[in-house]
Amino acid sequence: NGEKVVRLHRRIKVLKPAAVESLGEVRMPYNSYRAKAKFVRGRTILPDGRELEVDRKAIRQGQSAGMTDYLMYEDVAELSFSMPAVKVGAILDYEIELRHHRPTLKGQSWDSFRVEANVPVQEARYLLKAPSKLPLRICPRRTDAKPTEQKGFRSITREWVFKDVPRFHFEPGMPAVYDSQIAIHVTTLQSWRVIQDWYAKLAEDAFTADDAIRAKVAELTAGATTEQAKIRALYLFMQKDIRYVGIELGRSAYQPHPAVDCFRNRYGDCKDQAVLLITMLRQIGIEAHLALVRAGDGTVDRELPDVGQFNHVIVYVPRSDGPLWLDATVKYMDEASHPHHLDNAQALIADAPEGTEFITIVPPRPDRSCQRTIYEVDVQAEGSCQIKEILEYVGRNGAQSRV
């Protein structure tokens, strides 16, 4: 039925003084609407062999820090606890359980296990237990490791074991982490169409405009004489007046808030802002759609239908002379440009016609994203001269210069 239980068991040896501070406090953010988090056990094994259990008074649950001022995101929660007597040579051993009782997509589930970390991994195990009749897509990446299988009563348990995995090094200009790490991806989804239909249904009630939105649209577009100018006016309003609050958890991790809420509060995350912009565009008869993208963090794995592959929502405006891709969260961008992190991204249009899956976001033409240097040289008869240098920043280069 899409429900799942994830148990995380970590055993970490502290080797450097700097790790004492970073590892002493354990924080696990989670979606309190869809899941329940439980502290199972925790202990510190000291270098002399003594064991100290985590004090039950040191276990805390509540709204995630930093989210208390944003009432739209009251279900972003965090389980945290303090490990006792952390010191060099100690081993930190703890278990956390997350019970996902409200699937994001009814009847469907997915999961990813990343093997590498920013420290060496002596051993990593991934156990996957699922009903034997449940159709699964299992996609290992950057590994040939094969799981062992144990058949039970109506279930199969698969286990992958990785040993002596070097530290994952982050480097400037490296390929996206998502494409570079050893991982096991699992999904029950069999097609991208399921995701498209689900997201279109999830957002369909959010596009209602009230009198305040209609009045604002009329005000902003009053002096615009072309469709392009009207789009620009609404897009600039989003950039100037609606601030970004990034949320990746909670009920709102996928479901956008109604446009009226984002307009009234003057803040929202990417999907909230996309919904508001689409709602405003539709008031002046401009077709616009939600587009799910993976922005600047690797490419979408087309073999793996999985909602978790997307990290951003933007606005797709189909036009006869080429589509517009409007990212309502960026600043100082004109409507004919888009930020670099969307170049060649695969966009999944939520309510696209049957048979349409991904549309590639083509980078702008060079003349729409460039810096021009113009020199005007005035040479006088007596040998003197005046040189005037003019710098022009076009498209997204202009946006970067305005920041």
Side-chain angles (χ1 to χ4, degrees):
N1 62 3
E3 295 183 14
K4 70 176 181 179
V5 177
V6 177
R7 178 170 287 203
L8 173 67
H9 182 190
R10 282 184 175 155
R11 185 176 292 149
I12 306 169
K13 186 169 185 178
V14 181
L15 300 178
K16 296 181 178 181
V20 173
E21 190 73 24
S22 61
L23 297 175
E25 296 296 317
V26 180
R27 291 184 172 86
M28 174 61 67
Y30 67 98
N31 179 334
S32 64
Y33 173 73
R34 300 193 181 279
K36 293 181 179 179
K38 183 175 74 172
F39 171 84
V40 178
R41 65 191 297 264
R43 59 179 177 161
T44 298
I45 305 173
L46 298 174
D48 61 9
R50 289 183 296 134
E51 298 183 8
L52 296 176
E53 298 290 328
V54 169
D55 189 337
R56 291 285 167 174
K57 296 179 181 179
I59 303 170
R60 303 169 294 277
Q61 290 214 43
Q63 189 173 10
S64 182
M67 289 296 103
T68 54
D69 293 334
Y70 303 109
L71 299 180
M72 291 203 299
Y73 309 114
E74 73 280 357
D75 48 7
V76 182
E78 182 180 82
L79 168 67
S80 61
F81 51 91
S82 303
M83 298 298 295
V86 180
K87 62 192 304 184
V88 173
I91 295 174
L92 312 182
D93 188 347
Y94 60 85
E95 294 182 47
I96 299 170
E97 182 179 281
L98 289 173
R99 185 172 293 271
H100 298 261
H101 57 90
R102 281 196 182 102
T104 299
L105 206 163
K106 187 176 181 181
Q108 305 289 349
S109 186
W110 52 86
D111 193 47
S112 291
F113 177 70
R114 301 194 178 280
V115 179
E116 295 161 290
N118 60 352
V119 294
V121 177
Q122 188 178 67
E123 183 174 282
R125 292 174 177 264
Y126 181 51
L127 280 80
L128 173 68
K129 183 177 180 181
S132 54
K133 293 185 178 181
L134 185 69
L136 282 178
R137 287 193 180 195
I138 300 176
C139 300
R141 292 295 180 256
R142 301 182 68 84
T143 178
D144 296 324
K146 304 295 183 184
T148 60
E149 292 190 1
Q150 183 176 352
K151 295 184 178 180
F153 180 66
R154 297 180 179 175
S155 68
I156 297 179
T157 300
R158 299 173 175 87
E159 181 180 15
W160 288 261
V161 179
F162 303 87
K163 293 188 176 182
D164 299 321
V165 181
R167 172 188 174 187
F168 185 81
H169 289 275
F170 295 89
E171 301 176 7
M174 69 179 292
V177 172
Y178 184 86
D179 295 336
S180 305
Q181 287 187 323
I182 301 170
I184 306 295
H185 303 292
V186 181
T187 182
T188 61
L189 290 160
Q190 300 302 305
S191 75
W192 292 103
R193 187 77 238 176
V194 176
I195 296 176
Q196 289 174 286
D197 293 343
W198 160 74
Y199 203 73
K201 181 71 175 176
L202 195 67
E204 66 179 357
D205 294 331
F207 299 103
T208 302
D210 60 6
D211 290 341
I213 291 178
R214 285 188 284 270
K216 192 65 177 178
V217 171
E219 173 194 330
L220 292 169
T221 60
T225 57
T226 65
E227 182 180 272
Q228 189 90 358
K230 293 177 182 179
I231 294 173
R232 182 181 304 120
L234 299 180
Y235 195 31
L236 288 175
F237 164 77
M238 295 295 303
Q239 296 178 28
K240 293 179 179 179
D241 283 39
I242 309 297
R243 59 195 169 97
Y244 178 74
V245 178
I247 302 298
E248 298 178 357
L249 294 170
R251 188 184 314 187
S252 52
Y254 298 105
Q255 185 171 16
H257 289 88
V260 292
D261 289 353
C262 184
F263 183 78
R264 179 183 61 250
N265 291 311
R266 290 298 200 270
Y267 68 75
D269 62 11
C270 61
K271 56 194 168 298
D272 297 330
Q273 294 197 32
V275 161
L276 176 55
L277 180 54
I278 290 173
T279 302
M280 299 179 82
L281 289 169
R282 289 178 179 177
Q283 301 311 300
I284 53 175
I286 295 175
E287 181 185 354
H289 308 270
L290 291 173
L292 284 71
V293 297
R294 184 170 195 87
D297 186 26
T299 55
V300 172
D301 190 337
R302 301 282 286 271
E303 298 178 15
L304 185 73
D306 173 2
V307 178
Q309 290 204 64
F310 301 107
N311 60 6
H312 199 34
V313 178
I314 61 174
V315 177
Y316 164 62
V317 181
R319 290 161 61 90
S320 58
D321 57 347
L324 299 180
W325 301 98
L326 308 178
D327 186 342
T329 66
V330 301
K331 301 297 183 184
Y332 313 115
M333 188 73 64
D334 67 77
E335 75 289 345
S337 304
H338 61 257
H340 290 87
H341 61 247
L342 295 179
D343 281 355
N344 298 309
Q346 301 292 301
L348 188 69
I349 312 304
D351 53 352
E354 190 70 34
T356 302
E357 285 189 353
F358 290 93
I359 299 177
T360 301
I361 301 178
V362 179
R365 302 191 317 265
D367 62 339
R368 287 294 309 140
S369 180
C370 65
Q371 173 185 324
R372 298 191 185 101
T373 304
I374 302 169
Y375 291 99
E376 295 180 358
V377 182
D378 184 9
V379 180
Q380 303 298 317
E382 75 277 8
S384 65
C385 73
Q386 289 184 336
I387 301 175
K388 182 179 180 181
E389 179 181 345
I390 302 172
L391 296 179
E392 291 183 353
Y393 298 90
V394 180
R396 57 190 180 191
N397 282 56
Q400 294 170 345
S401 301
R402 295 185 188 103
V403 173

